[in-house]
Amino acid sequence: MHAKDPQQDLDKRSAGQEQAWPRPLYAWFVVGVLMLAYMNSFIDRQILSLLVEPIRRDLGVTDTQVSLLAGLAFSIFYTLMGVPLARLADQSHRRNIIAVGIGSWSVMTAMCGAAQNFWQLFLARIGVGVGEAALSPAAFSMIADYFPKQRLARAISVYSMGVYLGAGLALMIGGIVISMVSKLPPVELPLVGSVYSWQLTFLFVGFLGLPILLLVFLIREPVRRGDARDVDGSDGASFTELKVFLRANRWTVIWHFAAYSFIGIGIITYLTWAPTLFIRTYGWDAPKVGLIYGALTFVLGTAGVYTGGFVADWLHRRGHPDAILRATLYGGIVALPVAVATPLAPNENLAVVGLAFTTFLLAYPQGLPAAALQVIAPNRLRAQMTALYFLVGNLVALGLGPTIVALVTDYGFGDPMMLRYSMAIVCGVAIPLGIVSVYLSLKPYRASVARAEAADEAASASV
């Protein structure tokens, strides 16, 4: 066994510190490919919700079993597997991890189309969640090595637009998919046998990931920048290093996680309940809701995500070290009254106008939490910190958000027609808590940025 050469470590760290940033055109190409992957993952994730009725009819499952397929089978494994997969991304080739993830979730989505009973579909949904857990932590870490800090928030926001592109497409095609698959007879496929029409949708969506997988192999693994920030000087992030970082930045992390989790409750409240709000309150049907809300999400949601990153980068250029969180604070203050007032609109026209503004404003901070973490975390901890945020944020927002609204409606008012008031109450409580948490995070976050910059300067001086 050869002894480790200290000079090689020094040269490696020097390259990470001094190498010029990649050409902007290629860097944006990378972001575009990763955004397409994120969009594809969200469509794969959401497609089940569009096929509830034919699945219940053909497999004989209950609403509770469907909720397990949509919720527990996917979200628990998606959040829990994110941490070990992020640790792997902090230690090894991130592009390859993303490629394996895309291949895995595409295959498992297609396997949903081959499922013949509830438990086969349940296991396939677990596989979808595990595959998708490989994407975002590694993607955020890669993007941070392609863009300097003053352009990072916008780049990550463009990647995060995939959520709203995917959600918008899912809503717009939802009514069409349901009407088509519900009328087709069973189809005979080689090796699989007879499959129901809704299963063809899973197979089709699964194959959509293959062209994106090929595009991913055009991405080069970037040089890891700032490696000298590693606490123990090793090539891989240790749990000791993670604990040291969390201890040194505990108030930043606490208020950051709290801020975006509370704001996330407002976001998921609308994504989950806005269609039902218009169906119950204004008598719309599902195709009309899907077309209008899908178009708003596709256009204004993506515009909102991009604007959030643009404002954060603009504030950074004006000398604000807390630019990303400051941009979130301003956006939250503007979003609060609109998000509360929209469900209470006296007629459907005003409700649609309010929904348009709310869609834009609640999408605005979508790319900012991960960007804020990339700025302060050592390179070898970026993916793990992102995964920890996803773990907390998804459990709070996805786990509690839709359920809190339902509990207020069912047990607070005892009337499903009172959904509009439940949405207003939840947004009126959760978003202010997020705004206060963002404000409390500004001072500790500035200290975290200063520590990170000092560590970078010390590393550069030692090279």
Side-chain angles (χ1 to χ4, degrees), residues 277-399:
L277 168 71
F278 279 83
I279 290 172
R280 292 181 184 175
T281 305
Y282 304 112
W284 289 17
D285 58 21
K288 182 177 180 179
V289 173
L291 177 63
I292 294 179
Y293 189 36
L296 292 176
T297 301
F298 189 87
V299 176
L300 295 178
T302 54
V305 178
Y306 181 83
T307 302
F310 179 86
V311 172
D313 285 346
W314 179 78
L315 290 172
H316 189 279
R317 290 194 299 271
R318 292 180 67 87
H320 294 285
D322 57 1
I324 296 174
L325 296 180
R326 188 176 292 269
T328 304
L329 177 65
Y330 298 158
I333 292 172
V334 176
L336 173 60
V338 183
V340 173
T342 294
L344 306 178
N347 58 66
E348 63 182 80
N349 293 328
L350 288 176
V352 171
V353 173
L355 183 62
F357 281 103
T358 304
T359 299
F360 176 87
L361 292 169
L362 290 183
Y364 170 95
Q366 188 72 41
L368 300 181
L373 293 175
Q374 307 310 302
V375 170
I376 64 172
N379 190 298
R380 297 289 183 172
L381 289 178
R382 286 174 178 166
Q384 290 178 78
M385 285 305 302
T386 302
L388 285 176
Y389 163 69
F390 272 30
L391 175 64
V392 175
N394 283 329
L395 289 178
V396 173
L398 290 176

Side-chain angles (χ1 to χ4, degrees), residues 188-320:
E188 292 291 333
L189 293 180
L191 302 178
V192 178
S194 178
V195 297
Y196 295 110
S197 53
W198 57 265
Q199 291 175 298
L200 295 176
T201 305
F202 280 115
L203 293 170
F204 175 75
V205 172
F207 287 132
L208 287 179
L210 298 182
I212 299 173
L213 177 60
L214 296 178
L215 285 175
V216 166
F217 285 109
L218 299 178
I219 295 176
R220 296 190 298 269
E221 175 75 9
V223 173
R224 291 185 183 266
R225 300 175 186 274
D227 271 358
R229 272 200 244 165
D230 292 347
V231 172
D232 60 5
S234 67
D235 286 336
S238 65
F239 285 113
T240 299
E241 181 181 357
L242 178 60
K243 288 190 294 184
V244 169
F245 176 81
L246 290 173
R247 189 180 303 116
N249 298 276
R250 57 186 177 277
W251 289 114
T252 296
V253 172
I254 288 171
W255 291 122
H256 173 286
F257 283 19
Y260 289 105
S261 295
F262 284 127
I263 293 174
I265 289 177
I267 295 170
I268 201 64
T269 291
Y270 269 84
L271 287 175
T272 303
W273 292 110
T276 306
L277 168 71
F278 279 83
I279 290 172
R280 292 181 184 175
T281 305
Y282 304 112
W284 289 17
D285 58 21
K288 182 177 180 179
V289 173
L291 177 63
I292 294 179
Y293 189 36
L296 292 176
T297 301
F298 189 87
V299 176
L300 295 178
T302 54
V305 178
Y306 181 83
T307 302
F310 179 86
V311 172
D313 285 346
W314 179 78
L315 290 172
H316 189 279
R317 290 194 299 271
R318 292 180 67 87
H320 294 285

Side-chain angles (χ1 to χ4, degrees), residues 66-82:
V66 171
S67 72
L68 292 176
L69 295 172
L72 181 67
F74 176 86
S75 61
I76 295 296
F77 286 89
Y78 174 73
T79 54
L80 293 181
M81 289 302 297

Side-chain angles (χ1 to χ4, degrees), residues 36-228:
L36 287 174
Y38 201 17
M39 180 180 70
N40 176 254
S41 75
F42 206 83
I43 294 175
D44 284 10
R45 185 185 315 179
Q46 292 296 111
I47 195 65
L48 178 71
S49 65
L50 309 177
L51 303 170
V52 170
E53 290 307 314
I55 289 175
R56 290 181 64 237
R57 180 195 66 212
D58 294 334
L59 294 187
V61 298
T62 64
D63 281 348
T64 300
Q65 288 175 305
V66 171
S67 72
L68 292 176
L69 295 172
L72 181 67
F74 176 86
S75 61
I76 295 296
F77 286 89
Y78 174 73
T79 54
L80 293 181
M81 289 302 297
V83 176
L85 288 172
R87 178 168 169 77
L88 184 63
D90 280 331
Q91 295 176 314
S92 57
H93 200 286
R94 292 162 289 185
R95 193 278 309 273
N96 290 346
I97 291 173
I98 291 173
V100 171
I102 294 173
S104 298
W105 85 58
S106 298
V107 169
M108 297 311 295
T109 299
M111 289 298 295
C112 291
Q116 299 297 314
N117 56 57
F118 168 78
W119 287 111
Q120 290 177 4
L121 191 53
F122 187 89
L123 292 175
R125 288 289 291 176
I126 289 176
V128 174
V130 173
E132 291 188 16
L135 174 60
S136 282
F140 287 132
S141 178
M142 286 185 68
I143 293 172
D145 286 330
Y146 269 106
F147 289 86
K149 292 179 182 178
Q150 65 270 22
R151 291 192 286 131
L152 179 60
R154 197 185 324 180
I156 288 182
S157 292
V158 170
Y159 166 76
S160 300
M161 285 163 53
V163 171
Y164 289 90
L165 290 171
L169 287 174
L171 285 166
M172 286 189 287
I173 68 175
I176 298 174
V177 170
I178 292 173
S179 62
M180 288 178 59
V181 302
S182 62
K183 298 174 182 178
L184 292 175
V187 177
E188 292 291 333
L189 293 180
L191 302 178
V192 178
S194 178
V195 297
Y196 295 110
S197 53
W198 57 265
Q199 291 175 298
L200 295 176
T201 305
F202 280 115
L203 293 170
F204 175 75
V205 172
F207 287 132
L208 287 179
L210 298 182
I212 299 173
L213 177 60
L214 296 178
L215 285 175
V216 166
F217 285 109
L218 299 178
I219 295 176
R220 296 190 298 269
E221 175 75 9
V223 173
R224 291 185 183 266
R225 300 175 186 274
D227 271 358

